[in-house]
Amino acid sequence: MAMLRLEDYEKIIEKCSQCSYCQSTCPSYINELSESFVAKNRLLLIKETLMHERMPYSSKAKEILDNCLLCTNCTQTCCSKIPIDDIIISARIKAGQKGAGGIKQFVMGKMLTQRGLTGVLGKAGSVAQKLGIAAKEIPQLASRPFDKMYSGTYTPEGEVKKRVAYFVGCGTNFIFPDTGEAVVKVLNHNGMEVVIPQGQVCCGIPALGEGDLEGARNMVETNINLLAGLDVDAIVTDCTSCGMMFKEKAAKCLPDDDPLQEKITAVTSKIWEVTDFLQNQGLNMPPGQLDITWSYHVPCHRGWSPTVKDAPRQLLSQIPNAQLKEFDNPEQCCGGAGTFFMEHRDVAEQIRSNRLEEIQNTKSDVVLTQCPVCRFYIGFKVTDREVTHPIKILARAYGF
Amino acid sequence: MQGLVKDLSAFLGPSQILSLPEEMLAYANDATHYFKSRIPDAVVLPHTTEEVSKVMKYAFAKEIPVTPRGAGSGLAGGCTPVHGGIVMDLKRLNKILEIDKSNMTAIVEAGVVLKRFQDILEKRQLFYPPDPQSASVCTIGGNVATRAGGPRGVKYGTTGNYVTGMEVVLPDGSVITPGGKFVKQSVGYDITHLMTGSEGTLGVITAVNLRILPLPEANRTVVVVCETLEQAAEIVAEIIARGAVPAMIEFLIKLAITIMNQYFFPPLPTDGEGYLFMYFDGTEAQVEYEAKLVSDICHDMKAKEVRLIEDQKVAETYWIARANVYPLIQTIFERGNAEDITVPRNKLPDLVRAVQAIAAAEGVMIGLAGHAGDGNMHPSILFPQVTSEAEAKAKIAIDKLIRAGLDLGGTISGEHGIGIHKAEYLSWELGQTQIELMKRIKYAFDPKGIMNPGKIWMEDGDGNA
């Protein structure tokens, strides 16, 4: 059975050889340099507390599990292929952590099941202001969400080469609709017809991260029912976390024998991150020259596609004069991690500070990343240059 | 241990002391959790040598055991706090204090992660060769304390060959700085190299002087598929005998290749029994010549396939897979106990035959991988299921493996150290007189016996092998 039940991981958790290689990529460990906050300790702790109940699930245990950003870096690093992130999600589900209170609860609240962040971020901001915390680091909502501007089918001029559905994540819909515009224009320009179905909701990954399985399942059902019936060649998303949710997590939110599983398989087989899709298909139109240098912050939720982390690099290398300047650690977490930064301000800021230093040292004109949280969270502190989605640079090279 | 945290709080901040079991589970052992495991009474996370010294002074006065710890990735139980007490986590002492290109030396704190140091050097066209396969996490301090090595041992030696000096906090808290920033020294007893490999039993290494080298300009990777394990071992012996000096010669069996193949495109053929991964570095002309020489030797000796990997990125995938092979084993077996036998290189074929014979006689699976170029092999008992019967069988097989290695003129550990894992075999290799001498040296450094007690040799009550 799927369903992210902790007891289903009793055997695989024993595969941890305690090699400690997870220290190399865990952002909360790298920040603290204490083994309390590394996957090895979290797995041992889950075993002792929530799985075998040999130790009480204390406030310290909760703190250590809550300090996991669910960035999945340990899962990607683990040679023993332990699905550490799924185990932590299952532990949170078992611990009954549905929303951790405060601002996050507003963001995570029931409205997510309608259209994700509609109004919620605004509310979170005002609540934060009342509480005197973090208000300035709550993302500002766009004046018009993407789904109020774009909906339906967008047909390119000339021959239609492919027909793709566009799943619009909450980040693009509410905070960065400019990404969505670029996606539609670039796809159209390359001969792709774009279908934007109405009624999409949040992909469910933030709810799942909170251990809210029911909330996540509801969102999966809504989205899958909406997308499964479409006559399209591919389903694209501009957000790596939405992509991960569909590709790796959606099926785990329902029982294996649930009738929806077939539809989930149909949808996940078509899911692509948009730059990954374009790179895979090849550009039909050559981009124009752009005299810029750019750096690429690879989102943590990249493990679901072997090619997603190189797609922007390869795609943008086709823009004449645009020059990639690599960060020293392009794959290290920025600390944003969904809603993590709202509740763990200090930890998130410390993690981010290393990225900011790298950005300052790298001196490129633009910082690119496919994740809207990274874009917001890095962009909040990087004001001397543009932080945006790679698709926007491609759109610009096309003259949009 | 009542009052411990309160006492430690006198000289450490709250974020530098761990005392709840929830936050110390990971500190109960290293990567050999199946030998022994014990949650310490407290973990301290010092930032400076001064803080280390204060903790030692306190522990010395109170006679509390102290176990120094790097990444905890060791394979001998060296940092497992078997007597409880304080674990001294040195990972926050992580400053690279100096890289001196004009002298080709560096000074690093004990907690610097090996790969980070190597990456920084590489950007400056410099090179620090020791390469334990846990480089992405293991610390230089841990490397020095275990005299760690890796595949490059064949050409470049191991950590001990690069240490020229260090800063050490002795058990009573006093600080000494044996050796220094010079490539040779002849001044009395060589404390620097006595500390190197002392596994935290004599004092706490807080910083190290290291020799560094210029980065070789070119490299080549060659992969060889052999019909049999003996053939692979004989090829290695022949390469060494003909005077070729690859930087690495790694020996792997088919089982390992089938697990590692997920990293390779195209995958390696699985119709061989033995596999060699070789790496040559130096000038372009040198690597060209050596790769050709070794390829010719392999062809002469009828290897099934010799694959010269031209593309650097592809070559890297072979070495990443090699680094991960031990944890990868865990994906299909419940456990794999890695031994660390090292024999004279012309005895490799004999060792390979002995390992196969022991596996057959005892009815156990023994995986065989290792740094064949320097004679260091890691036969691993593979447990499809861990049962008391399987453990008993494994014990007999390990005893025989160790004995076979020693009979071939070898040693029980090439690079992992003794810790608790191999303590029972120490007398087989060293004899009681040497062990007694070691104990007297230990007493001279640590008269109260607080430094990492229970390591290297057997304690009273442990039974004797």
Side-chain angles (χ1 to χ4, degrees):
Chain A
M1 295 286 277
M3 296 295 285
L4 296 162
R5 284 188 318 206
L6 194 55
E7 53 268 35
D8 292 341
Y9 295 97
E10 280 176 15
K11 201 158 175 198
I12 197 155
I13 206 169
E14 297 300 330
K15 292 262 176 204
C16 175
S17 67
Q18 305 202 24
C19 65
S20 289
Y21 288 15
C22 43
Q23 285 173 18
S24 64
T25 55
C26 170
S28 66
Y29 166 77
I30 292 168
N31 182 52
E32 278 289 324
L33 293 177
S34 153
E35 290 181 44
S36 306
F37 295 99
V38 74
K40 171 183 165 183
N41 199 61
R42 292 195 175 101
L43 291 183
L44 291 167
L45 187 57
I46 288 169
K47 256 165 69 172
E48 293 304 310
T49 58
L50 295 162
M51 191 176 272
H52 300 307
E53 299 181 1
R54 292 186 287 247
M55 277 168 64
Y57 183 64
S58 62
S59 59
K60 179 52 91 176
K62 183 176 183 305
E63 180 199 327
I64 289 170
L65 293 192
D66 281 355
N67 250 291
C68 167
L69 295 89
L70 282 176
C71 66
T72 72
N73 280 305
C74 54
T75 307
Q76 294 174 57
T77 305
C78 180
C79 306
S80 301
K81 309 276 179 225
I82 300 173
I84 304 167
D85 55 330
D86 286 349
I87 293 175
I88 288 176
I89 290 169
S90 304
R92 288 183 183 171
I93 291 169
K94 187 158 183 187
Q97 284 182 304
K98 290 189 182 181
I103 300 167
K104 213 152 87 170
Q105 201 164 40
F106 276 91
V107 181
M108 302 305 313
K110 280 187 181 164
M111 280 185 239
L112 268 177
T113 52
Q114 290 142 35
R115 172 64 247 206
L117 300 179
T118 310
V120 177
L121 283 172
K123 269 194 181 175
S126 65
V127 170
Q129 268 164 350
K130 276 180 203 157
L131 297 172
I133 50 167
K136 58 181 185 175
E137 293 212 2
I138 297 289
Q140 294 302 303
L141 296 177
S143 54
R144 288 188 74 196
F146 181 77
D147 61 1
K148 294 282 180 281
M149 297 187 283
Y150 284 82
S151 179
T153 300
Y154 295 82
T155 307
E157 289 172 19
E159 184 199 351
V160 174
K161 295 192 167 66
K162 286 269 154 77
R163 189 173 150 83
V164 301
Y166 178 24
F167 177 79
V168 185
C170 296
T172 291
N173 197 48
F174 296 111
I175 307 165
F176 300 119
D178 57 321
T179 302
E181 284 192 77
V183 168
V184 175
K185 286 177 178 169
V186 169
L187 287 173
N188 271 181
H189 194 60
N190 281 281
M192 319 276 182
E193 186 169 68
V194 182
V195 182
I196 307 173
Q198 268 191 323
Q200 303 181 35
V201 297
C202 172
C203 70
I205 192 71
L208 202 58
E210 288 298 306
D212 178 9
L213 180 64
E214 196 190 326
R217 185 170 53 221
N218 290 337
M219 296 176 223
V220 166
E221 281 174 4
T222 305
N223 288 325
I224 293 292
N225 280 322
L226 200 64
L227 296 168
L230 299 174
D231 176 24
V232 290
D233 301 302
I235 301 167
V236 299
T237 169
D238 57 66
C239 168
T240 40
S241 297
C242 297
M244 181 184 79
M245 180 67 195
F246 279 106
K247 199 89 178 174
E248 293 188 337
K249 309 293 182 214
K252 295 173 185 165
C253 293
L254 293 112
D256 282 347
D257 56 359
D258 192 286
L260 201 71
Q261 289 288 9
E262 210 173 304
K263 286 186 181 175
I264 292 176
T265 308
V267 169
T268 54
S269 67
K270 290 183 185 175
I271 280 281
W272 287 85
E273 186 279 325
V274 65
T275 61
D276 202 6
F277 178 69
L278 281 165
Q279 176 59 24
N280 176 270
Q281 296 291 308
L283 294 178
N284 294 314
M285 301 295 283
Q289 177 176 323
L290 279 185
D291 294 312
I292 56 162
T293 56
W294 58 281
S295 300
Y296 175 38
H297 170 73
V298 188
C300 293
H301 291 165
R302 60 183 170 264
W304 57 278
S305 159
T307 45
V308 70
K309 67 177 179 182
D310 283 324
R313 292 178 167 114
Q314 292 169 343
L315 205 56
L316 301 198
S317 73
Q318 298 169 50
I319 300 174
N321 281 15
Q323 192 198 338
L324 169 61
K325 285 182 149 185
E326 289 279 7
F327 292 131
D328 283 343
N329 299 291
E331 296 188 1
Q332 275 189 15
C333 180
C334 72
T339 53
F340 181 87
F341 72 93
M342 296 185 196
E343 219 180 30
H344 300 86
R345 269 173 63 80
D346 290 350
V347 178
E349 280 178 18
Q350 284 159 17
I351 294 170
R352 179 175 61 184
S353 66
N354 294 321
R355 301 289 78 71
L356 297 178
E357 201 182 311
E358 268 184 14
I359 290 169
Q360 288 310 318
N361 293 340
T362 307
K363 296 188 177 42
S364 48
D365 301 326
V366 193
V367 176
L368 301 179
T369 182
Q370 294 114 308
C371 169
V373 175
C374 302
R375 179 179 169 186
F376 161 75
Y377 194 58
I378 292 172
F380 184 77
K381 280 284 176 187
V382 176
T383 49
D384 61 345
R385 71 198 81 180
E386 189 181 3
V387 181
T388 191
H389 193 290
I391 198 76
K392 290 253 301 175
I393 298 302
L394 191 55
R396 199 169 300 161
Y398 282 132
F400 298 132
Chain B
M1 224 166 267
Q2 281 220 323
L4 180 60
V5 173
K6 188 166 163 276
D7 290 351
L8 291 168
S9 302
F11 39 85
L12 294 171
S15 66
Q16 294 181 279
I17 307 166
L18 311 175
S19 61
L20 297 172
E22 295 93 317
E23 52 191 0
M24 299 194 295
L25 293 169
Y27 287 96
N29 47 261
D30 62 6
T32 61
H33 55 99
Y34 39 83
F35 286 119
K36 273 184 190 170
S37 187
R38 175 166 170 175
I39 298 173
D41 296 291
V43 175
V44 295
L45 300 140
H47 295 121
T48 62
T49 302
E50 197 186 351
E51 287 173 349
V52 173
S53 168
K54 284 176 178 169
V55 173
M56 286 317 308
K57 249 180 216 152
Y58 166 76
F60 190 75
K62 298 270 185 179
E63 300 195 16
I64 299 169
V66 176
T67 303
R69 183 180 180 92
S73 56
L75 292 171
C79 62
T80 296
V82 290
H83 287 257
I86 297 170
V87 164
M88 176 92 74
D89 183 340
L90 292 152
K91 291 192 283 296
R92 289 184 183 173
L93 266 83
N94 64 354
K95 287 193 279 298
I96 295 171
L97 299 172
E98 181 184 289
I99 294 172
D100 182 350
K101 200 166 179 172
S102 59
N103 275 305
M104 295 307 255
T105 56
I107 307 173
V108 302
E109 289 187 332
V112 169
V113 171
L114 176 60
K115 184 162 189 304
R116 179 180 152 230
F117 178 54
Q118 289 174 326
D119 286 349
I120 287 170
L121 288 178
E122 207 176 307
K123 288 206 177 105
R124 304 183 190 190
Q125 299 302 304
L126 295 169
F127 180 40
Y128 174 70
D131 56 343
Q133 299 294 275
S134 52
S136 65
V137 294
C138 67
T139 63
I140 305 260
N143 295 168
V144 174
T146 54
R147 215 184 289 134
R152 289 198 195 110
V154 52
K155 180 170 178 178
Y156 292 103
T158 61
T159 303
N161 300 103
Y162 295 86
V163 180
T164 64
M166 57 177 62
E167 178 185 73
V168 178
V169 179
L170 294 174
D172 66 0
S174 51
V175 181
I176 59 168
T177 53
K181 188 178 164 175
F182 27 70
V183 290
K184 57 188 198 177
Q185 182 192 31
S186 179
V187 183
Y189 297 142
D190 188 348
I191 302 291
T192 303
H193 290 98
L194 181 58
M195 291 302 302
T196 307
S198 64
E199 302 190 25
T201 62
L202 303 180
V204 185
I205 298 166
T206 48
V208 195
N209 296 82
L210 298 169
R211 282 196 310 130
I212 52 179
L213 303 176
L215 186 69
E217 65 173 47
N219 65 70
R220 287 282 188 291
T221 292
V222 177
V223 175
V224 185
V225 184
C226 303
E227 193 90 45
T228 62
L229 295 180
E230 287 94 325
Q231 186 189 31
E234 276 156 11
I235 286 175
V236 174
E238 182 66 16
I239 287 170
I240 300 299
R242 291 236 215 141
V245 191
M248 310 190 235
I249 310 181
E250 292 295 292
F251 181 105
L252 293 147
I253 58 172
K254 182 163 75 181
L255 173 69
I257 298 299
T258 56
I259 311 172
M260 293 157 82
N261 254 341
Q262 58 185 295
Y263 288 82
F264 308 143
F265 188 82
L268 281 169
T270 50
D271 57 349
E273 290 298 326
Y275 294 76
L276 297 171
F277 286 17
M278 291 188 265
Y279 184 90
F280 304 86
D281 64 5
T283 61
E284 188 58 44
Q286 219 177 341
V287 299
E288 189 77 40
Y289 169 78
E290 289 210 318
K292 166 104 181 37
L293 171 70
V294 166
S295 300
D296 288 348
I297 293 173
C298 296
H299 285 303
D300 289 350
M301 294 184 71
K302 309 267 184 290
K304 280 175 81 76
E305 186 181 333
V306 182
R307 201 184 266 195
L308 182 69
I309 318 287
E310 300 274 1
D311 185 300
Q312 285 292 319
K313 278 206 156 175
V314 176
E316 264 172 40
T317 61
Y318 287 87
W319 296 107
I320 290 168
R322 170 61 194 94
N324 291 343
V325 79
Y326 178 68
L328 275 172
I329 288 287
Q330 312 292 328
T331 59
I332 50 170
F333 293 96
E334 279 195 5
R335 189 192 292 170
N337 289 23
E339 296 301 324
D340 190 28
I341 296 163
T342 305
V343 295
R345 288 164 295 178
N346 62 351
K347 300 291 186 195
L348 265 179
D350 294 327
L351 180 67
V352 167
R353 279 188 282 273
V355 170
Q356 289 175 306
I358 292 166
E362 303 308 325
V364 293
M365 284 181 76
I366 304 181
L368 197 53
H371 320 308
D374 58 20
N376 184 192
M377 296 295 271
H378 298 306
S380 302
I381 309 287
L382 303 174
F383 293 76
Q385 271 187 319
V386 180
T387 61
S388 51
E389 192 197 351
E391 284 187 311
K393 269 189 180 179
K395 174 74 175 72
I396 296 169
I398 291 169
D399 285 0
K400 288 191 169 181
L401 286 171
I402 300 273
R403 178 56 70 196
L406 290 171
D407 287 348
L408 291 168
T411 174
I412 61 177
S413 180
E415 58 184 19
H416 292 173
I418 301 299
I420 46 179
H421 183 179
K422 297 187 236 5
E424 64 177 305
Y425 302 111
L426 195 73
S427 63
W428 294 15
E429 177 166 343
L430 300 183
Q432 276 311 314
T433 309
Q434 258 197 87
I435 293 177
E436 289 310 318
L437 177 62
M438 281 190 178
K439 285 182 179 177
R440 290 203 299 279
I441 292 170
K442 158 94 171 158
Y443 183 80
F445 276 79
D446 180 23
K448 294 185 177 179
I450 60 168
M451 284 310 308
N452 200 9
K455 302 298 164 61
I456 304 185
W457 46 78
M458 300 290 281
E459 293 183 290
D460 294 342
D462 274 355
N464 212 335

